[in-house]
Amino acid sequence: MPRRKNRNKTRAPPPPDLDSPSRGDSETASVATDFSEILSSANEASLEDIVKDLLDDMQEKRTSTRLKALKKVLKILQTKFLPEIFDSCLITLQSCVSNGLRSKDTKEAVLSCQLLGLLCITFGQENTPSLFTSYRKSLETIGSDRSKNSVVRGSALRTLAMITFLGCDDAQALEQIMALNQSMFKARDSAVSEAATSSWGLLASVILKSTKQSNLMSKYIEKTAPLLLDTLDCKDAETKQNAGRALALISEACARLEGKLEEKDAEVVGEMMDDIIDKLEDLATTTNKSQNRKEKARQRASFREFLASVRDGEEAHESFTIDSNEVEIDGLAKCVQFGELRRWIGVGFQTHIRDNPLISDMFGFVLESLSQGEAREAREDKIYFAKVHNQRGKIILSYMPIIFAIIYLHCKLVIPQRLAFGGMFFFVCF
C-alpha cells in the first residue's frame, strides 16, 4: 500500500538563541548584537582577522573573556560558511574545545560542545571522522557522568549524536551510542532525557537509510519501544514529543519489513504496534492539566502527525523556500535530520543549505539561478540597499520637526492672508 504524504509540517525544537539575555548578562547580549552587525558587513579577509583575534581571546585566563569569544565564534559558524578559515586553525580550535569540555564552568562546557558540533557541520566529511574519533570517548564520559551538570550532559549527548551522524560509518559504533542514549531515557533531569531521546531519533534515522540496517530496527520494537512508551508519560513536553517521533520512526521501519518477518516476530511487532497506536491516540486528544494552552495545542498537533504516520501510513513532509526555489523533504527520517540541523544552525540555515555542500547534498538542493559568487554579491547588495534605505529614513526623521514647523507657519500666516484677499476680491466684484 503506497504511503500518502502528510502535508503538515514537522515541528522541530527551536534553535538555541546565542543572543538571548537568559544565556548571559545584558552586556554580553548587547555585544553579541553589535557583533551581528559587524558580521553582516564584513568580507572574507576581515572575517579571517576576526576569527584569529577571537581564538586568542578563547585562550585567555579570564572566563568572561573566553565566553564572549566563544559566543562570537559560534555566531560566525552559524551565519557564515567558512571552512577554509577554520580549517587553517583547526589545531587551536581543538585545543580550545578540549579545554572547554574539561572546564568547571557550565556555560563554557556547553558552548564548547556547541562549537564542536558546528565545526563538524562546517567541515562535513573532510575532518569530521577524525573529530569523532578524537572526542567520542570524552563526550560519552561527560554524558554518562551523573555528577556533571544536567545541561552539560545533555549538550554532550546531543553533540555526540551530531558528530556520529556526520562522521561515523561504523554500524557497531552507531548502535553502541544509541544504546548509551537509550539508557538515559528515564533520567531524572529533563535536560538529559530530552537530549537522549532527540539524539536516539537522529541516529535511528541513519539506520533507516538502508534495508539491511532496517532489519536491526525490528529488534528495537521489543526493547526500545516499551521504554519510549513509558517516556511518553513524562512531564517534559520536548522529551514527550521526541519519544513520539522515535516511535514513529520505529513504526516506519516495521512497515517496511511487512511480510518479511517470521510469524512469531510478526505477532510481537503487531502487538507492540497496537500499543503504540493506542498511546498516540490518547496523547493526540488528551493533555495534562499542568500544561499551558500553547503546550497543549502543540502536543495535540504533533501527536496527530505521529498518529497519521503510524496508523494511516502518511509520509511526513517538510518544505521551505530559499531564493525563490522551493525545497521539499519527504520521509520522517529526512524530516528528523532537517529539524536537528536547523536546531543547530538556527538563523543561518539558509546560508548553509545554499553554500554548504554537506547540507545541500543531504536534502537534494541545487541553486540553479545563481552561482555561489553571484549569490554572495546579491546578498551583499541587498544588505547595502537595506542600510541605505534605513539611513534615508533616519535623515527624513531628523528633518521632521522643521517640516512640521514650516507647515504650521504656512497654516498660521499664509493661508489667512490668502483667504482675506479672496474675500475682498469677491466683495469688489459683486
Side-chain angles (χ1 to χ4, degrees):
M1 180 178 176
R3 298 173 69 85
R4 294 177 293 173
K5 288 185 180 180
N6 181 9
R7 292 292 170 179
N8 295 326
K9 291 191 175 183
T10 303
R11 290 168 176 80
D17 186 5
L18 297 177
D19 294 340
S20 175
S22 61
R23 293 181 177 269
D25 55 12
S26 58
E27 181 183 354
T28 303
S30 175
V31 171
T33 305
D34 296 339
F35 185 68
S36 300
E37 297 177 359
I38 295 173
L39 284 183
S40 63
S41 59
N43 55 29
E44 193 164 338
S46 60
L47 281 171
E48 186 173 2
D49 295 334
I50 291 172
V51 170
K52 289 180 180 179
D53 293 338
L54 291 174
L55 287 177
D56 292 337
D57 291 342
M58 286 168 63
Q59 299 175 77
E60 291 289 332
K61 291 184 177 180
R62 184 175 294 180
T63 305
S64 60
T65 304
R66 296 199 304 271
L67 289 176
K68 288 180 182 179
L70 264 169
K71 288 185 178 183
K72 290 179 180 179
V73 171
L74 291 176
K75 193 73 177 178
I76 294 174
L77 285 167
Q78 283 185 324
T79 56
K80 304 287 183 181
F81 179 64
L82 305 167
E84 295 83 7
I85 292 177
F86 286 100
D87 184 55
S88 63
C89 49
L90 180 58
I91 297 175
T92 307
L93 284 166
Q94 284 183 280
S95 175
C96 294
V97 169
S98 300
N99 293 333
L101 293 177
R102 291 192 296 266
S103 174
K104 294 181 180 180
D105 186 84
T106 301
K107 291 182 180 179
E108 186 173 9
V110 170
L111 292 175
S112 298
C113 289
Q114 293 180 10
L115 174 60
L116 178 58
L118 288 171
L119 284 174
C120 292
I121 293 172
T122 299
F123 290 140
Q125 297 295 330
E126 186 176 352
N127 293 316
T128 302
S130 62
L131 291 173
F132 169 75
T133 304
S134 302
Y135 289 101
R136 175 190 172 183
K137 194 169 183 180
S138 300
L139 293 172
E140 286 179 341
T141 303
I142 295 172
S144 57
D145 188 356
R146 295 185 179 181
S147 64
K148 293 279 187 181
N149 183 282
S150 60
V151 179
V152 177
R153 292 177 63 194
S155 297
L157 290 174
R158 196 178 292 279
T159 303
L160 177 62
M162 180 52 64
I163 65 174
T164 305
F165 168 65
L166 296 175
C168 178
D169 295 327
D170 185 3
Q172 186 177 0
L174 186 66
E175 289 187 66
Q176 290 172 354
I177 295 171
M178 289 179 69
L180 173 66
N181 285 289
Q182 182 177 319
S183 66
M184 298 181 190
F185 284 171
K186 293 184 178 180
R188 293 181 180 179
D189 298 310
S190 59
V192 178
S193 59
E194 190 274 331
T197 50
S198 176
S199 300
W200 193 93
L202 176 63
L203 298 179
S205 69
V206 178
I207 289 183
L208 288 172
K209 285 183 178 179
S210 65
T211 307
K212 183 178 179 181
Q213 289 181 336
S214 294
N215 295 328
L216 298 173
M217 190 59 81
S218 62
K219 300 178 182 178
Y220 293 123
I221 198 73
E222 297 181 15
K223 297 181 179 180
T224 309
L227 291 174
L228 290 170
L229 285 171
D230 293 339
T231 307
L232 289 175
D233 295 326
C234 72
K235 294 181 180 180
D236 184 65
E238 294 294 340
T239 303
K240 191 180 294 186
Q241 290 185 24
N242 291 339
R245 194 176 292 109
L247 285 170
L249 280 167
I250 293 176
S251 302
E252 186 178 272
C254 291
R256 293 185 183 182
L257 299 176
E258 188 176 358
K260 299 180 182 179
L261 297 174
E262 297 180 3
E263 185 177 353
K264 185 177 179 181
D265 295 334
E267 290 180 1
V268 175
V269 170
E271 292 176 0
M272 185 56 66
M273 289 293 291
D274 291 338
D275 294 339
I276 292 173
I277 291 173
D278 291 341
K279 190 66 176 179
L280 293 180
E281 284 178 344
D282 183 39
L283 290 170
T285 55
T286 60
T287 54
N288 193 340
K289 292 182 179 180
S290 62
Q291 293 176 311
N292 59 41
R293 192 173 182 179
K294 188 176 180 180
E295 289 177 347
K296 289 178 181 179
R298 186 181 177 190
Q299 175 183 310
R300 285 194 293 264
S302 297
F303 280 93
R304 279 197 295 267
E305 294 174 11
F306 302 150
L307 182 62
S309 176
V310 175
R311 184 185 61 189
D312 305 329
E314 292 187 2
E315 188 177 40
H317 178 81
E318 182 80 36
S319 64
F320 61 95
T321 304
I322 172 172
D323 293 343
S324 302
N325 296 299
E326 187 174 3
V327 183
E328 295 191 355
I329 302 169
D330 295 324
L332 185 58
K334 284 291 183 183
C335 288
V336 169
Q337 295 168 11
F338 169 75
E340 194 64 25
L341 283 167
R342 187 171 57 180
R343 178 191 175 100
W344 273 90
I345 303 172
V347 295
F349 186 79
Q350 289 214 352
T351 300
H352 276 266
I353 201 171
R354 185 192 299 111
D355 300 335
N356 191 337
L358 169 73
I359 298 178
S360 59
D361 293 344
M362 188 181 298
F363 299 112
F365 174 74
V366 178
L367 188 61
E368 298 177 352
S369 57
L370 295 174
S371 65
Q372 287 190 5
E374 291 172 336
R376 188 179 295 108
E377 289 178 3
R379 291 196 300 273
E380 290 176 353
D381 290 343
K382 187 176 180 181
I383 292 170
Y384 171 76
F385 286 118
K387 288 183 176 179
V388 169
H389 179 73
N390 292 336
Q391 192 66 25
R392 188 183 301 160
K394 290 178 182 178
I395 293 171
I396 293 173
L397 285 174
S398 64
Y399 283 103
M400 286 303 291
I402 300 174
I403 295 172
F404 281 121
I406 293 172
I407 294 172
Y408 175 77
L409 292 172
H410 181 77
C411 295
K412 192 77 174 176
L413 301 176
V414 178
I415 293 179
Q417 290 180 1
R418 289 184 178 178
L419 289 174
F421 177 77
M424 186 170 56
F425 179 78
F426 181 81
F427 178 76
V428 170
C429 293
F430 296 95

